[in-house]
Amino acid sequence: MTDNSALDPEDRKIVTLARSARARNGVPEGAAVRDETGRTYVAGTVALDSLKLSALRTAVAMAVASGATSLEAAVVVTEAEGASDEDRAAVRDLGGPQTPVLVAGPDGTVRTTVTAG
């Protein structure tokens, strides 16, 4: 567990945004990413009959579709213990292997930070 007060303010912000997306939309996961200019992209799980995307992959797709060329950080709020390999790969594709991926529980407490690598 990470003391959220020890997080960088910008990281705390994306944790809050991801948690809000999860709660507002009533989805299993919420996610947020921050691009190289400081812009944030927030998403929830997409679960349509014809399209299924995790919240983190959706947030990365939103960043790409908006013209982001790199990522500074990513967060997923989930009941799962960690970020999936597929989610980390999406972050790595845009941000590189050293991009931090914060994994927080539904209460917003960051449980772990891994790299996209």
Side-chain angles (χ1 to χ4, degrees), residues 20 22 91:
S20 296
R22 181 181 184 270
V91 172

Side-chain angles (χ1 to χ4, degrees), residues 46-114:
V46 174
L48 301 173
D49 289 341
S50 62
L51 179 63
K52 302 209 184 309
L53 288 172
S54 72
L56 192 49
R57 281 178 268 170
T58 303
V60 170
M62 291 172 65
V64 170
S66 297
T69 59
S70 184
L71 294 179
E72 291 181 348
V75 63
V76 60
V77 174
T78 180
E79 290 187 21
E81 290 301 313
S84 72
D85 291 343
E86 294 86 356
D87 282 353
R88 291 176 50 237
V91 172
R92 182 175 58 246
D93 285 349
L94 187 57
Q98 297 306 314
T99 306
V101 179
L102 290 73
V103 180
D107 66 353
T109 301
V110 174
R111 293 191 300 244
T112 188
T113 301
V114 297

Side-chain angles (χ1 to χ4, degrees), residues 20-34:
S20 296
R22 181 181 184 270
R24 179 179 56 249
N25 298 324
V27 292
E29 294 181 341
V33 298
R34 185 176 60 248

